[in-house]
Amino acid sequence: MFLSVFDMFKIGIGPSSSHTMGPMVAAARFLDTLRAAPFSAHGLKGSLHGSLAFTGVGHATDRATILGLAGFTPEGYVASEADAAMARISAEKRVTPDGLGALAFDPATDLRFDYDHALPGHANGMMLQAVDAQGDVILSETYYSVGGGFVLTEAELAAGDDVDQGPKVPFPFRSAAEMLEMAATSGLSISEMKRRNELSRRPAAHLDEGLARIWEVMNGCLSRGLGRDGILPGGLKVKRRAKAIHDALREEYGRNLTAPHVINDWMSCYAMAVNEENAAMGQVVTAPTNGAAGVVPAVIRYWLDFVPGAMSTQVPEFLLTAAAIGGLVKYNASISGAEAGCQAEVGSAAAMAAAGLCAVMDGTPAQIENAAEIALEHHLGMTCDPVRGLVQVPCIERNGLGAIKAVSAASLALRGDGTHLVPLDACIETMRQTGRDMHAHYKETSLGGLAVNIPNC
């Protein structure tokens, strides 16, 4: 089993990796398929199903799909260009992707929210079609956005193509138990094993540049969030709070009478800054998803800003360790809120962050595994119930609490010797089972929980 660090940490746009980035990626893939087809299309159509339909408006799924069909990608997204393109498409009722010419597409009628027909493969399903001048379908494909920006066609999902098909890596651990056994046998840390796996697929310079870029974008997103106030888009009139909290904390910093628990406010405002940027459709890094994007960078910033001896040169070690844990969760359970609730998003992120922090604070592989388990265990059962389908309430604050839990988990693990009762593998399997049994109303459909109990929403 191998999932690259660049699969777990993808640079993209808010507000959702599965509901915004995924559909945009799916649309881009469909255009590539159409370019390779032996016939010419006249127009395009699409439909959104399951969670993509129920919370699609709040997650800008329709906008992302339309822009994807126009040739936009998450990596190359520029907000001003996207706004101009949306206005042009609405007026002209066509898209003009490179290599395909003008294709008829009316956003008001050619992209449907289908609330009645869920697709069988995953809760996040969508269908895209190309039609001829008579309106007959000449090409059709079903895509599933399976979390964290990962996208599979119906055939790929059925064939198990979400499992790595590349050449064998030096340390192909598929479970935490295998990871610990390989670490003991090799004498290497988790991050060193993960690095060697990555180097079997790409040059060292590319790996190092990519890791530096991930942290640059994460930290840039966090810093932008700390500098902006105002009202978030979407209609809930949620105020940005990270800047005001951060300003107050900076004013208080250094006072002898500051209570120790105020450190939690620093972690919270760091995480909230990221998720406020995500909610405003800014540039963000999946960690492992957009909805949970604030936890990992908040813990890294906390460590760099407040922990004696912390050095930015260790950030790659943090990211590689976190990615190793995130890969285990995705491979053996899920990182999709639509599939397993928020335990799969913020819970996974907290486990990743706890493991990364434990690693850079000289934790052993056993302590790192323990830290990840503690963080994930205490998110088990957490539902995904975004109010009005927006990644704002409870998502923004939830990232702050996820960061606090991650730091607490790492600290507890470092106080022990790594031995503990519940293995990380058992915790991941429990999360999978809990997600399977969780009612669909609590899995990113906004049909239950806070989403239906907040007045006037």
Side-chain angles (χ1 to χ4, degrees):
M1 191 280 294
F2 174 73
L3 278 169
S4 173
V5 63
F6 302 117
D7 290 325
M8 300 310 299
F9 299 116
K10 297 187 184 76
I11 298 172
I13 57 168
S16 172
S17 50
S18 59
H19 288 60
T20 314
M21 289 173 59
M24 189 177 286
V25 169
R29 290 191 60 183
F30 185 73
L31 292 180
D32 286 340
T33 302
L34 188 56
R35 291 184 184 103
F39 38 73
S40 299
H42 174 76
L44 302 174
K45 294 181 180 294
S47 56
L48 305 171
H49 302 258
S51 181
L52 293 186
F54 285 112
T55 63
V57 173
H59 285 111
T61 306
D62 49 347
R63 175 185 168 93
T65 304
I66 294 164
L67 290 171
L69 292 174
F72 283 77
T73 63
E75 298 86 353
Y77 181 86
V78 178
S80 59
E81 295 177 4
D83 291 342
M86 287 295 295
R88 185 170 59 252
I89 294 166
S90 295
E92 298 177 356
K93 296 179 174 49
R94 65 175 184 170
V95 292
T96 55
D98 290 343
L100 291 170
L103 298 170
F105 182 82
D106 183 351
T109 58
D110 290 331
L111 183 63
R112 296 184 301 108
F113 288 88
D114 190 333
Y115 303 101
D116 299 320
H117 304 97
L119 300 179
H122 191 276
N124 294 332
M126 60 189 295
M127 296 179 65
L128 296 174
Q129 298 176 330
V131 298
D132 61 18
Q134 288 72 46
D136 295 328
V137 176
I138 56 176
L139 179 67
S140 180
E141 186 62 85
T142 297
Y143 295 94
Y144 293 106
S145 181
V146 297
F150 292 87
V151 172
L152 298 171
T153 66
E154 187 173 44
E156 288 168 346
L157 186 68
D161 285 356
D162 54 334
V163 178
D164 179 57
Q165 304 294 323
K168 188 175 180 180
V169 295
F171 299 98
F173 48 84
R174 295 168 295 178
S175 67
E178 289 183 356
M179 179 181 71
L180 292 177
E181 182 180 354
M182 290 180 187
T185 301
S186 67
L188 298 174
S189 68
I190 293 170
S191 68
E192 288 169 336
M193 292 192 297
K194 181 64 174 168
R195 181 175 177 82
R196 294 195 185 189
N197 285 349
E198 296 287 342
L199 291 177
S200 71
R201 301 291 181 89
R202 57 181 51 83
H206 290 183
L207 175 61
D208 294 336
E209 290 168 5
L211 290 171
R213 176 62 176 159
I214 287 171
W215 173 236
E216 178 186 28
V217 176
M218 280 183 172
N219 196 36
C221 177
L222 193 160
S223 296
R224 287 193 304 276
L226 293 178
R228 294 176 176 173
D229 50 23
I231 304 297
L232 293 172
L236 287 180
K237 295 182 171 53
V238 172
K239 292 177 61 176
R240 286 180 181 253
R241 291 185 290 157
K243 181 181 184 300
I245 296 171
H246 187 244
D247 289 347
L249 288 169
R250 290 179 63 187
E251 184 179 344
E252 298 167 6
Y253 188 69
R255 294 182 184 176
N256 292 332
L257 295 179
T258 301
H261 69 254
V262 170
I263 194 65
N264 292 332
D265 298 342
W266 284 92
M267 285 184 271
S268 290
C269 83
Y270 286 163
M272 290 167 64
V274 173
N275 284 84
E276 286 173 356
E277 281 294 290
N278 179 62
M281 302 182 187
Q283 188 181 56
V284 68
V285 178
T286 63
T289 66
N290 282 30
V295 178
V296 168
V299 173
I300 296 176
R301 270 289 290 267
Y302 155 76
W303 168 66
L304 289 173
D305 290 352
F306 293 99
V307 177
M311 297 181 294
S312 60
T313 53
Q314 290 181 279
V315 170
E317 180 184 1
F318 191 115
L319 293 174
L320 288 167
T321 305
I325 299 301
L328 292 177
V329 177
K330 185 181 187 306
Y331 180 75
N332 293 295
S334 176
I335 58 170
S336 168
E339 190 172 26
C342 199
Q343 58 173 358
E345 296 205 29
V346 171
S348 298
M352 293 166 64
L357 181 60
C358 190
V360 296
M361 294 186 69
D362 298 324
T364 65
Q367 289 173 318
I368 291 167
E369 183 264 357
N370 188 12
E373 187 280 325
I374 294 170
L376 182 59
E377 178 182 340
H378 298 291
H379 284 88
L380 290 177
M382 181 174 281
T383 60
C384 183
D385 51 353
V387 176
R388 202 180 283 180
L390 298 166
V391 191
Q392 298 180 17
V393 179
C395 320
I396 295 171
E397 284 183 356
R398 189 168 283 176
N399 275 257
L401 274 293
I404 292 169
K405 285 186 182 181
V407 173
S408 296
S411 184
L412 282 174
L414 287 165
R415 294 290 182 183
D417 61 4
T419 58
H420 55 110
L421 181 63
V422 181
L424 176 58
D425 290 328
C427 192
I428 292 173
E429 172 58 16
T430 302
M431 192 262 273
R432 186 193 68 80
Q433 294 175 7
T434 304
R436 177 197 62 197
D437 297 339
M438 189 180 289
H439 197 288
H441 285 186
Y442 303 103
K443 294 195 283 188
E444 210 165 357
T445 58
S446 291
L447 296 175
L450 287 174
V452 298
N453 285 294
I454 303 299
N456 302 317
C457 290

